[in-house]
Amino acid sequence: QVQLVESGGGLVQPGGSLRLSCAASGSIFSINTMGWYRQAPGQERELVAAITSGGSTNYKDSVKDRFRISRDNAKNMYLQMNSLKPEDTAVYYCNAAVISRSNGYAFTNNYWGQGTQVTVSS
């Protein structure tokens, strides 16, 4: 199977920065879209940023100009978070649409990491 592991979360003051990482491993032929989601207590999980295999990106409006999503050739994904605000506090989850192959056919499955806590507080 496929495993996604997030890292880089922590406690920071407003205005601080963090860089989240997501490492993908397992039975992976290729990965299409990867994304970062977040969920605060009592709130719905929401998309923060996403990036396609071709490098196209999109962001939640409230994080534009503060966050940057990227990925490398090793199937890792990153989220650089600058100018953090208290409302950014949440558990951040890595998500990936992974293409696998069996019997000459390709199919896509969606995977989630376990999440990493980001807390922005003074």
Side-chain angles (χ1 to χ4, degrees):
Q1 293 293 333
V2 173
Q3 185 175 17
L4 304 177
V5 179
E6 303 97 334
S7 62
L11 173 64
V12 297
Q13 292 186 317
S17 297
L18 286 173
R19 191 173 92 137
L20 305 184
S21 298
C22 174
S25 62
S27 300
I28 301 171
F29 177 75
S30 63
I31 301 178
N32 282 338
T33 300
M34 300 184 75
W36 288 99
Y37 289 73
R38 68 186 183 189
Q39 187 169 23
Q43 302 295 318
E44 295 289 327
R45 187 172 298 186
E46 63 180 1
L47 177 67
V48 178
I51 183 168
T52 69
S53 60
S56 297
T57 60
N58 67 278
Y59 298 89
K60 176 180 172 64
D61 286 345
S62 63
V63 308
K64 290 180 179 178
D65 300 321
R66 298 190 297 120
F67 292 9
R68 288 291 188 92
I69 189 171
S70 61
R71 63 193 293 180
D72 62 23
N73 294 330
K75 302 183 180 72
N76 297 317
M77 179 179 64
Y78 310 93
L79 184 67
Q80 179 66 48
M81 304 186 294
N82 299 321
S83 302
L84 284 162
K85 303 175 180 179
E87 52 263 44
D88 295 319
T89 296
V91 177
Y92 283 70
Y93 297 91
C94 176
N95 181 79
V98 178
I99 299 176
S100 300
R101 300 181 73 182
S102 295
N103 301 320
Y105 292 92
F107 56 95
T108 301
N109 290 112
N110 190 264
Y111 294 91
W112 292 93
Q114 293 298 311
T116 184
Q117 177 72 50
V118 172
T119 302
V120 185
S121 177
S122 59

